[in-house]
Amino acid sequence: MRKLTKGIAAVFLVISLSLMGAVGYYDAVLPDTYYISENGQAVVDCLFDIKITSKDTVVAASTRDSVAEETEAEIKLFGVIPVKNAKIVHADAKMLVPGGSPVGVKLLTDGVMVVKTAEVSDGVSPASEAGINAGDNIISANGEELNSSARLSEIIENSNGEEITFEVMRNSKSFTAYVTPIYSETDGVYKAGLWIRDSTAGVGTLTFIDPETGIFGALGHPISDSDTMTTLPLGSGEIVDVVITGYDKGERGCPGELYGTFVSGLASGTIELNCEQGIFGTVTYPSRQEAIPIAYKAEVKTGPATILTTIDGSTPQEFEVEIERVTLSSAAKSKNIVIKVTDPELLELTGGIVQGMSGSPILQDGKLVGAVTHVFVSDPTRGYGIFIENMLDATEILTDEDLAA
C-alpha cells in the first residue's frame, strides 16, 4: 500500500511539474495582445489545449489602422489553469491585393560587403590583420563613400602600399580599420586580401500590394549574401517584371528552383527596406486586382489552405496546401507557419516548394494569412511561412517615414 501511495505521489508530482513548466513556457512566449477581425475568432494552436477567455471588459483602443474595441482576456491552460492576462483587439481587417506573380529582384548594397578575407602572400592578409571579417560592410575608404566593388579595388591597387582608413559596419555598429595593402607578385598589383560584393539579383514572388499606400511586400525573408548568410545592407534596389521559363523539380536533399527572364529594364517597384520579414517598397504602378482581408495571426489555424504562385509564365495559380503548425511566439518574426503541399498537380510538376516561390501568398478561408518563405531540404513538400501580420509590422517604418516627410 505504501509503494502504491508513493507511486501515485510521484505521478502527481510529474504531472504538476509538467503543468507548471507548460504554464511558464506559454507565459513567456505567447503574445500579450491578439488582433481579431470583426468576424474572426481567436485560435491558439499549441501542444496543450490553450483557450483565450474574455473578461467582457471593453474599452476604446487606437490601433495602427483604425479605432477598435479592446477586450480584457485571460489565457488558460485546458480552459481552467490561468497562464497570463491578455488583450483582444477587435479591429477592421486590412485589405491587401494578394500577389503570387514572379518578380525579379535587383539590389545594390550600402557600401560593399566582405564575402571573405584571403592571404595575399607569405600567409599575410592585410584585411584580417586590420580586424576585418567576412560579413562586414565597408562604408568608406579614406573618407570616400563606396558604392561599388570596382571603386574599392581601384583605391587599393593605387595605394602604393600606403595605409587606407576604412569605415566598417558590423552588426549595426561602426568601427575604423587601418589596412596596409601589400604587393602581389602573382597579380602584379597591391591587394588587401578582400573578396567583396556590391550587388545581387534573383527571382522571387510578390506577396501583396497595399492599394491605399502602394506599398508592396515580397519574399517573406531578407535578401542575404549567399556566402556569409548576412542580410545585405540596402543601398538601393528595385523589382522588375519576370516571366518564369522553367524549373528544377525539388527532391529530398536537393531543393528545386524556378528560372525566369526579366521582361524589361523598367522597374515595377522600388525597394526601400530589406529585413527579416522580407523586402518592401513602393510599386511604380497600382494593381488593378481585387483586395481581400488579411487574417491576423491569432485567427490562423491548422487545416486546409492554398498558395498563390507562378510556375510558368507570369500568371499565378492557386494550389492546395495544409497548414500543419502555427507558432504564435511573440519573439518569432518569421517561420511562423509550417505548410505541406497537398496539390497533386504541384507535387507532380515541382515536387512541392522550390526556390523562387518565397513570398507566395498563403490563403485560408478567403483571407491572406501569410507567405511561403523556406522549403525543407529534407522534404520539398513542406516548408515554412510567415504571418502576413508580421510582414505588415515591418512596413510601419515606411508609413512612418511618409508621415514624417
Side-chain angles (χ1 to χ4, degrees):
M1 184 67 180
R2 184 177 297 175
K3 290 184 178 179
L4 178 61
T5 302
K6 287 184 177 180
I8 294 174
V11 171
F12 180 78
L13 179 62
V14 170
I15 294 175
S16 298
L17 291 174
S18 298
L19 291 176
M20 290 174 61
V23 169
Y25 171 75
Y26 287 127
D27 180 33
V29 304
L30 289 178
D32 298 321
T33 302
Y34 298 83
Y35 288 89
I36 306 295
S37 60
E38 183 179 355
N39 299 319
Q41 290 184 327
V43 176
V44 182
D45 279 312
C46 295
L47 179 62
F48 295 99
D49 186 15
I50 294 289
K51 298 185 185 298
I52 303 178
T53 305
S54 173
K55 293 182 178 179
D56 296 324
T57 301
V58 179
V59 296
S62 177
T63 72
R64 57 192 166 210
D65 297 320
S66 61
V67 175
E69 288 188 345
E70 185 176 281
T71 304
E72 296 294 332
E74 189 175 30
I75 300 176
K76 296 181 178 180
L77 185 65
F78 304 119
V80 177
I81 304 173
V83 173
K84 65 189 300 185
N85 290 324
K87 294 179 181 179
I88 298 176
V89 179
H90 296 270
D92 293 335
K94 190 170 185 62
M95 303 292 287
L96 298 175
V97 176
S101 57
V103 289
V105 179
K106 299 178 180 180
L107 184 146
L108 295 176
T109 61
D110 179 20
V112 296
M113 171 72 72
V114 178
V115 176
K116 66 177 181 178
T117 58
E119 298 174 356
V120 177
S121 65
D122 299 326
V124 178
S125 171
S128 294
E129 292 183 351
I132 297 176
N133 298 330
D136 289 345
N137 194 50
I138 303 175
I139 302 299
S140 68
N142 288 337
E144 179 184 336
E145 292 188 1
L146 298 171
N147 54 25
S148 76
S149 300
R151 178 55 185 150
L152 178 56
S153 296
E154 183 180 357
I155 292 173
I156 294 171
E157 291 175 4
N158 294 335
S159 67
N160 292 321
E162 295 181 1
E163 182 181 85
I164 303 174
T165 302
F166 287 160
E167 180 188 351
V168 185
M169 292 291 294
R170 180 186 297 166
N171 299 327
S172 301
K173 295 181 179 180
S174 66
F175 65 93
T176 302
Y178 302 96
V179 179
T180 303
I182 59 178
Y183 191 77
S184 169
E185 296 291 345
T186 303
D187 299 314
V189 293
Y190 284 93
K191 306 191 77 171
L194 286 168
W195 288 79
I196 50 181
R197 179 173 293 143
D198 62 10
S199 63
T200 189
V203 174
T205 302
L206 182 71
T207 303
F208 69 85
I209 295 175
D210 185 334
E212 294 185 356
T213 63
I215 290 175
F216 74 84
L219 301 189
H221 63 69
I223 300 175
S224 302
D225 178 72
S226 58
D227 295 292
T228 65
M229 303 309 295
T230 303
T231 299
L232 290 172
L234 175 65
S236 62
E238 60 187 28
I239 57 172
V240 298
D241 294 333
V242 160
V243 172
I244 298 299
T245 56
Y247 50 81
D248 288 335
K249 186 174 182 178
E251 298 177 355
R252 187 179 297 272
C254 184
E257 183 177 4
L258 295 176
Y259 298 106
T261 300
F262 289 21
V263 175
S264 71
L266 299 177
S268 56
T270 301
I271 301 173
E272 299 171 30
L273 181 64
N274 178 34
C275 65
E276 185 177 352
Q277 294 100 311
I279 58 171
F280 304 90
T282 307
V283 292
T284 304
Y285 42 85
S287 173
R288 297 178 181 176
Q289 295 176 302
E290 184 178 351
I292 64 173
I294 69 164
Y296 291 108
K297 55 189 173 186
E299 300 173 315
V300 182
K301 59 182 182 294
T302 55
T306 60
I307 62 171
L308 286 175
T309 197
T310 305
I311 58 175
D312 183 37
S314 58
T315 303
Q317 295 177 260
E318 192 167 5
F319 298 100
E320 295 177 353
V321 299
E322 184 86 7
I323 296 179
E324 294 187 325
R325 189 169 74 239
V326 177
T327 302
L328 283 176
S329 171
S330 55
K333 293 183 179 180
S334 61
K335 295 184 178 180
N336 312 117
I337 305 168
V338 174
I339 65 169
K340 181 179 178 64
V341 176
T342 57
D343 194 286
E345 181 183 3
L346 189 58
L347 290 172
E348 174 65 26
L349 294 173
T350 66
I353 302 167
V354 297
Q355 296 178 84
M357 287 185 183
S358 292
S360 298
I362 304 173
L363 309 179
Q364 187 178 60
D365 298 332
K367 295 183 177 183
L368 178 55
V369 169
V372 178
T373 62
H374 296 80
V375 58
F376 290 1
V377 177
S378 60
D379 181 4
T381 67
R382 301 170 69 235
Y384 282 115
I386 181 175
F387 290 133
I388 194 65
E389 187 178 348
N390 287 0
M391 293 186 72
L392 286 175
D393 285 343
T395 67
E396 289 185 0
I397 187 174
L398 301 182
T399 54
D400 288 345
E401 288 176 353
D402 291 340
L403 290 173

